[in-house]
Amino acid sequence: MRVLTETYQTGQTPLREALNRLTADGLVECREQRGFYVADISRNELVELTKTRCWVESLALRESMAAATPQWEETLLLAGHRLGKTPRSLKPEHFEDNPEWEKLHRAFHKTLIGNCGSQSLIAFCGQLADQLYRYRRLSIQKAFPTRHVADEHQAIMSAVLSGRTDEAVALLTAHYRQTAEVILRDQRIFPELRDDGEVA
């Protein structure tokens, strides 16, 4: 708590409230008489969260596309354009996180499902994105040299704007699953990977 109060220049009461909220979201653990700890990562949690996100965002995207309006399509086109014009890394020769890209990336994915007509569904998708963010961070450096994320986003947006619902949903879920797969197959993160390369 001392480190957090110094870092954020705030008192212990608001910090405890924030940590309790993070505990409810499963991102922090409160241990009896020992304080708060960052929750451990888990292969099972990653698989479950990814599966759930694919389920609910597939529904949300279908609903968004079914209720498509020119305004929503223009908003999506602008969000995709801004994301595509922003470099993923601040350094082309090695990965250095670009905070602006992260902000635009979140906005793009939120816009995809933002026309679904259900604020509760959008909020749940946001919670899943928050829970998966720490896992996605683990995959970035390994995937950065070879994965063409900008092409994936462009393909999703093109399918959406062309009204190809099944294709758009398939591309979106493949996008999320590929991120999870990078992490699941990384022996440094999950050393229980079997010798044949399959996930145990």
Side-chain angles (χ1 to χ4, degrees):
M1 292 298 291
R2 180 181 58 81
V3 173
L4 290 175
T5 54
E6 291 175 358
T7 300
Y8 295 104
Q9 295 295 299
T10 189
Q12 289 196 9
T13 299
L15 279 175
R16 286 189 180 278
E17 291 176 0
L19 288 167
N20 283 327
R21 289 187 63 181
L22 291 172
T23 300
D25 289 339
L27 298 173
V28 168
E29 294 177 356
C30 182
R31 300 177 185 174
E32 192 71 27
Q33 304 298 322
R34 296 178 63 189
F36 295 94
Y37 290 80
V38 176
D40 291 335
I41 61 170
S42 154
R43 286 176 56 225
N44 288 339
E45 181 185 56
L46 172 57
V47 170
E48 181 180 339
L49 287 172
T50 301
K51 184 188 297 184
T52 305
R53 190 180 191 187
C54 288
W55 284 341
V56 296
E57 289 209 18
S58 292
L59 172 61
L61 182 57
R62 287 184 184 278
E63 292 296 312
S64 278
M65 293 180 68
T69 63
Q71 183 179 4
W72 173 67
E73 292 178 350
E74 289 172 8
T75 302
L76 178 60
L77 190 61
L78 180 59
H81 175 74
R82 287 174 173 168
L83 180 60
K85 289 292 185 182
T86 305
R88 179 67 191 89
S89 171
L90 293 174
K91 298 286 179 64
E93 64 277 6
H94 65 272
F95 180 77
E96 184 177 324
D97 194 31
N98 184 352
E100 182 65 15
W101 187 94
E102 284 291 347
K103 182 176 72 173
L104 294 172
H105 180 249
R106 187 65 176 260
F108 172 76
H109 279 282
K110 187 174 182 180
T111 303
L112 281 172
I113 63 171
N115 196 49
C116 69
S118 170
Q119 291 303 314
S120 297
L121 182 55
I122 293 170
F124 183 45
C125 290
Q127 290 174 358
L128 291 170
D130 288 340
Q131 290 176 308
L132 279 163
Y133 177 72
R134 63 187 185 136
Y135 287 100
R136 191 167 62 79
R137 298 284 302 171
L138 292 172
S139 75
I140 293 173
Q141 289 194 18
K142 185 171 183 179
F144 174 71
T146 56
R147 188 175 178 188
H148 303 291
V149 179
D151 293 341
E152 295 175 28
H153 290 143
Q154 182 61 46
I156 294 167
M157 186 172 66
S158 295
V160 170
L161 294 176
S162 298
R164 304 191 303 271
T165 305
D166 289 342
E167 180 182 347
V169 168
L171 288 169
L172 182 64
T173 56
H175 178 66
Y176 291 146
R177 286 171 180 155
Q178 187 172 348
T179 299
E181 199 64 25
V182 170
I183 308 166
L184 290 169
R185 294 186 179 280
D186 192 333
Q187 291 181 311
R188 295 169 303 172
I189 300 171
F190 296 118
E192 63 270 30
L193 197 69
R194 294 204 304 258
D195 291 337
D196 58 6
E198 293 298 320
V199 177

